Amino acid sequence: MSFWWIYPSLLTFCTLFYCQALRTYPSNEVLPSDALHPCVLTSCTVTLLDSMSAAGDLGWVAYPSEGWEEISVMDERNTPMRTYQVCNVLEVNQNNWLRTSWIPRGEAQRVYIEIKFTLRDCNSLPGVSGTCKETFNMYYYESNNSNLWHIHENQFIKIDTIAADESFTQVDVGDRVMKLNTEIRDISNLYKKGFYLAFQDVGACIALVSVRVFYKKCPTTIRNLARFPDTVTGGDSALVEVKGTCVNNSEEFDVPKMYCSADGGWLVPIGRCSCKPGFEEKRNVCQPCRPGYYKALLTDLYCTKCPPHSFSLQDSSAECTCERGFYRAKSDPKSMACTRPPSAPSNPISTVNETSVIMEWSPPEDSGGRMDITYNIHCRRCLLEGQKCSPCGSGIHYIPRQFGLPHPRVLITDLLPYTNYTFDIEALNGVSELSSGPKQFISVNITTSQVVNVILKERKSKDSVTLAFQGPEKTNDAVVEYEVIYYEKNHKDQNYTILKTRSTSMTVDGLKPGTTYIFRVRAHTIGGQGVYGGEIELETSTEDMIAITDPNQITILAISVAGGVILLIFLVTCFFVSGRHCGYIKAKQDPDEDKMHFQHGRVKLPGSRTYIHPHTYEDPNQAVRDFAKEIDASNIRIERVIGAGEFGEVCSGWLKLPSKREICVAIKSLKVGYAERQRRDFLGEASIMGQFDHPNIIRLEGVVTKCKPVMIITEYMENGSLDSFLKKHDGQFTVIQLVGMLRGIASGMKYLSDMNYVHRDLAARNILVNSNLVCKVSDFGLSRVLEDDPEAAYTTRGGKIPIRWTAPEAIAYRKFTSASDVWSYGIVMWEVISYGERPYWEMSNQDVIKAIDEGYRLPPPMDCPLVLHQLMLDCWQKCRSDRPKFGQIVNILDKFIRNPSSLSELANSSTWQDPSMQDSFTVTSVEEWLEAIKMSQYMEHFTMAGYVTLDSVLYLSNSELSKIGISLAGHQKKILSSIQNLQALGTHVQI
Ligand code: ACK
């Protein structure tokens, strides 16, 4: 038989699919791993046999001998290659076998056989019908034996009958029309070391050009930082589950797994490894963090710059080391800046009330970079101030507690009377215990007291008085003796007398008639000796007098023989002048000036230039009688309720006095069931108001005291209180109108200050407006300071103060003066120009105090003339003597009104105003913050330097700003002051 139809260029049909050399591996040989990588990443094949690559005889067994024949041909590169051909198409009953050599299976359980062949179309051959076939069969036989010579036909297992997709008909080699067929079959679940393949021809004309046997692998790969090794696909079509191993410097985060599919691809990666602390992932490997950077957690993705006040000098840092003097608390995240203990608290204010003390203080100026500031109180009892101190021991109560106070205030009770105490207020934060530095504290010395009421019991004769002592209440039996010192007024240096008694009363005789004496009393107790109480000024009469027998007439002369504390209440003795019961003293509102004056003479009449406090009257009803006109209730017609005051309702109505025209009035009534003290305080306002007569002070029409309800009648102010009036008419007035209102208020205040009256609660809510837009000062309540003002907050010294309106010295040590009223007036100016905006918006009182102390002042409201804001700033001078007087303010405002063009230049609120002082200032990122303060040009500087969270910028300093490239002093200042505000408004900032 000739093979005329096979020709050398046959191989132009063959494709060199695989690059391995033809090798058949001994069964026990381990496949070299580099043989596995011709086809990385997705799938990989390992060739077990490739007939195309055989250099010499293939050595396959063919039988019978006239069947398959091995033919050497040359490929296009003239390389000899082996083919097997058979073409016994003219003869019947062909059964020609061709069996390969033993093929080791290696690690494969499933192998693929790819055959390339040509097959002649029987129809194209003449005279072969009935004998010519167009298929052949493929078989395999598994065996551990590589040297079998003979295998019985029926031992083979059939893989498939192979038919040609394309058979050829032409013999004209020039046409190159022979078609090369490629078929792939597979054998699964192999289990012996190797196998033989066999091709059975049953009468076809076939050329077997190539046989390639291979298996598939999933190639080694790294996924999710886990390395997956080369994996041979499964014996059947099931997936092979493979567990990955973490690459260097990584740890298993969640067991990494993948599945090797039957066609050699990886599927379904689950789980992962993560780079260990100190390493970050880059291109499938874990690389060490550079010096200056760190990665704290397995779960962190990248190395980040060391937070402020820390550093890392080496590669692979899992955390940064704190600079000297800075620490990291156990619970601090590694990403947080290192911090230090706070500085000592400052500005302590203590208010001693007998045996208890309220202490308040300002938080430390340097919080150390932390928000978790607490305070401890350490108590020492000292014999002399600051000397020979010993721990206070138990029995003292601290409210809310002694240690770990979250807020800068504490109430301490159950102290011993007449005792010096030193309280050390220590500030701590989360890293205080890590520092070996000294404790940061501030000391407060206080002396406790207890009240001794001194009573003028009798003034029987012109040369003696009998005084009685009440108290100290809680330790009555502890009082050893009372000591009275007295001297003639203005002659203290020349002569004074000290008398002591164990009794609770004492008659002082041998006094000169008609002479003014000063008496002071103190108590000695087993706890120590108090200091003298306030001065009691008494003038002996020129004639003998009748004893006062009515206990209600007993006059309390003074309260408080107190350890140097200010709690003095003065009461007055009766003094008969012209047969009239009208003794009074001039009240002092300034505790620094508390000194009792005892004046001869008559009650000063309304219109006098000095105001008289009703408390100076022994009988407050007398003050009402002196200063307020009694009105018959029948002259009043109540119309409607317009509001609620501290003591009861406020109504509008009509007053018709005989021979006068009916006028509209406001009627304040005292609610039923009042206590005597409430009645006194209620009418006290009338006694004050009745002394004033000015177009910018609310006018008292009179009082109703003879029947109930007790009422105070004032002029009616149609537009109600100024703050709500402005809010209602937001933006509706001209600047001149607003200045006119302010001028009126200033004028009223000038009148009051000329009369030595200090208002203490000047605020837009306490100004009333009539239908002509005339503003009048009101609210002269007596129960102040300032129980009825919702804005008033308790201060450390016990009083209630409307913090936002009050001058710092009045808050700190109750220095209320006309100059502190001027401060409040400045705030009223701001309220007026901003149409009733709340001063300092929603900042807390404590923040306001702190901000003012640090020099912050309210910015100009929108459209505020520059000169008005300047005037406000003048009113808010820290030093009260630098503030303008009300008279000057009136003059300045008059000038503005006369020359309106002076008001045309507006203050630039955007440059003045730091938005971070406003309540609406809620920034959540460095970017938002920089934008808000118009410094966003520095965003990149912050980012590059690693200041990416608000937390991290909170404690930047000048030098750090310079380091990151912000060198303009003005910009540094702006950024730093905003940082301070951010710190102060910690709650506004979301970190
Ligand atoms: O803001 P208003 O309308 O003005 O509400 C309060 C309320 O009574 C409680 O004080 C109003 N009010 C007080 N005195 C007068 C007055 N003399 N004329 C008009 N309204 C008054 C105040």
Side-chain angles (χ1 to χ4, degrees), residues 432-710:
S432 292
E433 60 177 13
L434 302 174
S435 158
S436 52
K439 282 184 175 175
Q440 294 299 318
F441 64 85
I442 189 162
S443 299
V444 180
N445 298 319
I446 63 137
T447 307
T448 52
S449 65
Q450 259 191 350
V451 169
V452 176
N453 289 335
V454 183
I455 296 165
L456 173 63
K457 217 173 160 192
E458 285 179 347
R459 189 205 299 270
K460 267 194 213 154
S461 68
K462 55 185 187 292
D463 61 357
S464 75
V465 289
T466 301
L467 304 174
F469 317 116
Q470 277 182 356
E473 273 164 27
K474 288 179 198 154
T475 53
N476 237 355
D477 50 5
V479 174
V480 178
E481 61 185 5
Y482 295 100
E483 183 182 298
V484 178
I485 182 170
Y486 68 93
Y487 41 86
E488 255 181 69
K489 189 176 180 188
N490 301 328
H491 293 88
K492 181 183 177 189
D493 297 339
Q494 293 157 19
N495 201 359
Y496 61 85
T497 310
I498 294 178
L499 300 173
K500 294 183 180 177
T501 178
R502 285 165 194 256
S503 146
T504 52
S505 69
M506 172 192 281
T507 298
V508 182
D509 40 28
L511 303 173
K512 294 182 195 163
T515 307
T516 305
Y517 285 91
I518 305 290
F519 294 86
R520 300 179 73 188
V521 184
R522 72 176 172 187
H524 291 229
T525 73
I526 48 172
Q529 107 186 344
V531 293
Y532 287 112
E535 294 177 356
I536 301 151
E537 201 173 304
L538 285 176
E539 186 177 344
T540 49
S541 59
T542 45
E543 293 163 19
D544 281 352
M545 302 165 85
I546 302 155
I548 303 163
T549 47
D550 179 356
N552 292 329
Q553 296 276 319
I554 289 176
T555 306
I556 297 176
L557 288 176
I559 309 173
S560 173
V561 171
V565 190
I566 309 150
L567 296 171
L568 287 178
I569 298 173
F570 305 116
L571 290 174
V572 189
T573 183
C574 258
F575 190 43
F576 295 93
V577 176
S578 306
R580 193 169 169 195
H581 191 153
C582 59
Y584 68 92
I585 61 170
K586 180 182 170 228
K588 294 289 177 182
Q589 296 180 345
D590 183 347
D592 289 359
E593 295 159 16
D594 270 342
K595 203 163 153 229
M596 188 144 331
H597 291 262
F598 185 73
Q599 294 186 355
H600 296 271
R602 294 170 186 279
V603 168
K604 294 203 176 177
L605 294 171
S608 99
R609 297 302 292 165
T610 304
Y611 136 85
I612 297 155
H613 195 287
H615 270 172
T616 59
Y617 276 79
E618 181 200 345
D619 174 9
N621 290 322
Q622 184 56 43
V624 179
R625 283 193 293 277
D626 282 346
F627 297 125
K629 183 163 66 186
E630 179 72 29
I631 292 177
D632 195 311
S634 63
N635 294 329
I636 298 164
R637 189 158 51 88
I638 294 178
E639 206 166 60
R640 64 191 173 89
V641 177
I642 55 172
E646 187 204 352
F647 295 97
E649 289 166 340
V650 182
C651 300
S652 64
W654 297 90
L655 171 68
K656 173 75 187 86
L657 291 176
S659 72
K660 292 227 166 129
R661 66 183 177 86
E662 193 173 50
I663 56 165
C664 189
V665 288
I667 303 148
K668 283 187 182 181
S669 50
L670 178 61
K671 57 188 169 238
V672 288
Y674 53 82
E676 188 47 39
R677 187 200 146 110
Q678 283 175 315
R679 182 182 190 274
R680 197 189 61 206
D681 286 352
F682 176 71
L683 288 173
E685 183 177 14
S687 321
I688 295 170
M689 227 189 301
Q691 299 180 52
F692 304 139
D693 180 17
H694 188 272
N696 296 103
I697 306 291
I698 197 81
R699 188 164 48 87
L700 178 75
E701 296 295 343
V703 291
V704 176
T705 61
K706 301 230 161 83
C707 62
K708 286 185 181 165
V710 175

Side-chain angles (χ1 to χ4, degrees), residues 642-645 650 666 668 698 714-718 720-721 723-724 768:
I642 55 172
V650 182
K668 283 187 182 181
I698 197 81
T714 64
E715 66 179 308
Y716 181 67
M717 302 291 285
E718 292 82 352
S721 60
D723 66 333
S724 40
L768 291 167

